[in-house]
Amino acid sequence: MKENVLEIKKEDFGPFLPYLENPLVTDIDFQGHSLWITDDKGTHKVENIADFTETFIETFCCMVANRVNKQFNKSRGNNVLEAETDTLRIEIVHESVALSGRSITIRKSMPYIKQTLESMITDKYCESETLALLINCVKSKLNFAFCGKPGVGKTELLKFMTQFITDKAVTIEDNPEIHYGEINPGRPYQELKVDEERFSYTTAIKTCLRLNPKWILLSEARSEEVAYLLEAWSTGVSGMTTLHTDSVRKIPDRIVNMIGNEGDTSNIRNTVYEFLNVGILIGRRIDPDTNKRYRYINQMCFFAREFDTVAKVTKNRVYMVVEDGHIVSNTLPADVIKAMKKKYIDNPFKCKEVDAVLEKLKEGGADE
């Protein structure tokens, strides 16, 4: 059995199972004496947790530890237990270091795309022009960084956008979340699984370039390995990744900080602006009409490194296109327009896929 890979039956999950089988649930957090469930609309506390007894919690943790052949106790090195299945990532923290009590976190990542072109419009995830622009950016083989708070759906949007990739893609993950082959059957791909002791992110990115990829999909940029991702993009390979920040404008600084080379921050920042094209921030907000929470594309921007003909210097520039969910500008960098022209895209804010959905919605409205 692979280390940390859990072979487990459905019934072993006990009272966790109904939440695991709910397609809307993305995260389950048991925190000592409380249970929190995260779905597409936000995080909610479960009031009735009578079935989550101390006996069940202890039995569940022992079962996980036994299945992955690891000790779990208060000793240093044994007080955190990690395991995974094909669709779940489990993290258990011992009460000796978790002050609120034994902590169990289960994150779901299912091998299908939750969103559809139609639902993204009808659920107010983004405006139709923003959706068309995103699709055209993939068709033009631009490089993406999806950002936002943990659990907001960065990887879900990345997964959605992969359906517009037609060339070979290589995914790099420490836990299976993208499920590229399953959501894009018949497409050329390879999946690399990172293990920091035996196959690091840096090694994976370097290895990836020898696999003849047209796209590199890094599930999450966390540290200095992002420097090698930028280097890969500089060779002409396209890519997508996710990272944690609360504004697209902060993405370049976040990447510079991750790389951590204090003596070369200016050159690193320039490289980011040159080879990272698209920044997207995903957020949550409340619909004032229904009082329901929903996810949406809060910001979208383009990064560019351009020559200023007046000042006679090359400058880094951010083109903000979407703010607070709405398109605020249709001005794009010259390099982006050029890339789209090569793919015969004359209007970046229109595409046949979105036009077909809008026509369907229009006909549906007429029928009603």
Side-chain angles (χ1 to χ4, degrees), residues 212-232:
N212 192 31
K214 301 303 180 185
W215 286 83
I216 297 176
L217 310 180
L218 179 66
S219 61
E220 184 179 346
R222 300 174 181 174
S223 188
E224 58 189 22
E225 75 274 353
V226 73
Y228 296 94
L229 182 63
L230 290 171
E231 184 177 331

Side-chain angles (χ1 to χ4, degrees), residues 84 89 172-177 192-194 201 219 222:
E84 65 185 66
R89 185 172 67 194
I172 301 174
E173 306 177 88
D174 58 355
N175 291 285
E177 292 186 278
L192 300 181
K193 187 176 186 303
V194 168
Y201 275 103
S219 61
R222 300 174 181 174

Side-chain angles (χ1 to χ4, degrees), residues 102-251:
R102 181 82 54 98
S103 170
I104 302 174
T105 299
I106 305 176
R107 164 157 287 193
K108 293 169 56 180
S109 179
M110 307 309 290
Y112 55 78
I113 299 173
K114 291 184 177 182
Q115 298 151 307
T116 65
L117 287 165
E118 184 173 333
S119 71
M120 293 184 84
I121 296 172
T122 58
D123 293 346
K124 301 181 181 180
Y125 188 85
C126 64
E127 296 177 342
S128 60
E129 293 87 353
T130 302
L131 181 55
L133 179 60
L134 281 169
I135 294 171
N136 286 332
C137 287
V138 178
K139 291 179 178 179
S140 303
K141 300 182 178 180
L142 303 184
N143 299 321
F144 294 74
F146 302 95
C147 66
K149 295 180 179 179
V152 79
K154 299 181 291 296
T155 303
E156 284 302 323
L157 180 56
L158 186 155
K159 288 166 64 176
F160 175 87
M161 300 313 303
T162 64
Q163 64 188 300
F164 305 104
I165 294 175
T166 56
D167 302 307
K168 180 179 179 181
V170 177
T171 65
I172 301 174
E173 306 177 88
D174 58 355
N175 291 285
E177 292 186 278
I178 298 175
H179 306 289
Y180 189 92
E182 293 172 270
I183 63 178
N184 296 295
R187 303 274 181 85
Y189 76 100
Q190 283 180 269
E191 297 173 326
L192 300 181
K193 187 176 186 303
V194 168
D195 180 329
E196 283 303 328
E197 293 182 2
R198 293 170 292 191
F199 192 59
S200 68
Y201 275 103
T202 298
T203 303
I205 294 171
K206 290 180 178 179
T207 301
C208 180
L209 290 174
R210 295 192 286 271
L211 301 178
N212 192 31
K214 301 303 180 185
W215 286 83
I216 297 176
L217 310 180
L218 179 66
S219 61
E220 184 179 346
R222 300 174 181 174
S223 188
E224 58 189 22
E225 75 274 353
V226 73
Y228 296 94
L229 182 63
L230 290 171
E231 184 177 331
W233 287 349
S234 74
T235 68
V237 176
S238 302
M240 299 180 183
T241 191
T242 71
L243 51 82
H244 294 294
T245 188
D246 59 2
S247 170
V248 292
R249 297 176 179 87
K250 295 180 182 179
I251 290 176

